[in-house]
Amino acid sequence: MNIGIFDSGIGGMTLLHQAMVLMPHENYIFYADTDHVPYGTKTREQVISYVDEVIRFMAEHDCKAVVIACNTATAVAAELMRSRYESLPIIGIEPAVKPAVAESRGKRVLVVATPLTVHEKRLRKLVERVDDAHLVDLLELPGLVEFAERGEFVSDSVTAYLRERLSGYVLEHYRELVLGCTHFNYFKDTFRVLMPPQVHMIDGSLGTVRQLMRVLHARHELLEPLPETDADWEQVKNGICVRYYESGREITDAARLSTIRQLHERLENMRKI
Ligand code: DGL
């Protein structure tokens, strides 16, 4: 059986990549809903109907679990999908606000995400629950999703966009930057240059994969025992079984698959920052 992982686009590969190094023996389906990307500037109703279509696809493609590798889709649709697909474990990614606040030692926490995630009740409630000292600020960065989908990860335009969006913040007051959209991991090198050295970056992908492993373990559905550490990407990357889909159409074209391999290489580099 497969582990299904999906996002509106290439952002979800952050989570797929993390799952691949922790569980290289599993079989994966990765689904990018490119017909509907971006999700973050759509309405809740639109995103709910897209997510429903993807989860139905996963259920029909022999998936033992589905990961919503999209903070936006999790925020608006995870609970509803769990009630619709009761027998299928559905795991969602959330901005890592709780660990960020715990690590911030009294300094500020900046959570960057899509407009829909920032305005959703789910994130607001999470912040209310963990942010007693009112240290958390929320910032929308929809432009990064567009840059990522164009394959533009490092450029003067990316830097100028981020500089402009961050210009209203005294960055020296911050200790944690929460990457609350899976597309944002592709830009960690630029964030690293723009943020003061004391700012630590965190995202929810590792925690979500660990949750996925716990769920599969509890259901006796892990192909190999729980791993202690990540596998070495160089050693495992060619042996992992993944099928890639774009809005339901399998990607078989050699040029597209080669681009996907390059995205994994970039994500491997970003993981080390
Ligand atoms: N990557 C997604 C997220 O984590 C959504 C990006 C988008 O489609 O707007 O929120």
Side-chain angles (χ1 to χ4, degrees):
M1 290 185 89
N2 303 300
I3 294 173
I5 299 181
F6 81 94
D7 181 32
S8 59
I10 61 169
M13 282 181 58
T14 305
L15 207 129
L16 169 69
H17 191 87
Q18 184 62 60
M20 286 162 82
V21 290
L22 276 165
M23 296 179 286
H25 307 284
E26 297 288 339
N27 301 307
Y28 297 93
I29 288 183
F30 181 75
Y31 186 121
D33 192 11
T34 47
D35 287 358
H36 302 122
V37 69
Y39 282 0
T41 51
K42 302 275 179 6
T43 64
R44 306 186 79 239
E45 292 67 30
Q46 283 172 307
V47 173
I48 287 169
S49 87
Y50 305 149
V51 172
D52 194 29
E53 200 175 316
V54 182
I55 296 192
R56 194 166 335 116
F57 175 95
M58 296 297 195
E60 286 164 3
H61 283 74
D62 204 25
C63 286
K64 57 186 175 186
V66 175
V67 183
I68 307 179
C70 174
N71 295 267
T72 311
T74 301
V76 299
E79 285 312 316
L80 182 61
M81 293 304 133
R82 284 185 192 120
S83 66
R84 281 191 192 166
Y85 299 87
E86 281 179 354
S87 59
L88 183 65
I90 297 175
I91 293 108
I93 188 168
E94 275 196 315
V97 180
K98 195 175 173 192
V101 169
E103 289 297 312
S104 71
R105 284 172 282 156
K107 285 206 146 206
R108 301 203 68 79
V109 173
L110 184 60
V111 181
V112 288
T114 68
L116 198 49
T117 304
V118 165
H119 295 290
E120 263 305 302
K121 275 203 299 284
R122 189 169 167 132
L123 178 59
R124 302 270 162 178
K125 279 192 188 152
L126 173 63
V127 171
E128 263 170 39
R129 234 181 13 251
V130 301
D131 184 24
D132 298 337
H134 303 292
L135 297 171
V136 175
D137 295 308
L138 306 178
L139 171 65
E140 304 168 16
L141 293 176
L144 283 192
V145 178
E146 288 170 30
F147 282 119
E149 289 298 321
R150 285 206 294 274
E152 185 175 340
F153 301 120
V154 179
S155 71
D156 291 346
S157 310
V158 168
T159 304
Y161 173 74
L162 284 178
R163 261 194 216 292
E164 195 276 315
R165 298 295 293 153
L166 294 167
S167 62
Y169 298 84
V170 183
L171 297 177
E172 280 66 32
H173 293 171
Y174 290 80
R175 172 98 61 195
E176 298 288 323
L177 175 67
V178 178
L179 303 176
C181 167
T182 50
H183 280 77
F184 296 176
N185 288 63
Y186 288 98
F187 302 94
K188 281 175 87 175
D189 42 3
T190 303
F191 276 118
R192 188 64 285 160
V193 172
L194 295 178
M195 302 306 285
Q198 84 276 1
V199 175
H200 169 249
M201 287 183 266
I202 181 165
D203 75 281
S205 56
L206 180 58
T208 308
V209 173
R210 289 209 175 116
Q211 174 64 8
L212 167 68
M213 294 194 304
R214 278 193 292 271
V215 169
L216 291 175
H217 181 67
R219 294 168 66 97
H220 308 287
E221 286 182 335
L222 270 180
L223 290 185
E224 294 279 323
L226 278 177
E228 297 280 309
T229 52
D230 292 0
D232 178 348
W233 174 246
E234 285 308 314
Q235 291 193 1
V236 295
K237 65 182 182 185
N238 294 322
I240 305 174
C241 179
V242 192
R243 286 158 68 193
Y244 295 90
Y245 290 84
E246 277 179 338
S247 299
R249 303 173 295 274
E250 185 164 7
I251 303 174
T252 52
D253 173 62
R256 289 284 299 123
L257 291 171
S258 153
T259 305
I260 287 169
R261 274 195 293 279
Q262 286 163 22
L263 292 176
H264 276 294
E265 294 307 324
R266 178 154 188 84
L267 288 171
E268 182 61 13
N269 291 334
M270 294 303 103
R271 221 158 59 87
K272 294 173 190 148
I273 293 179

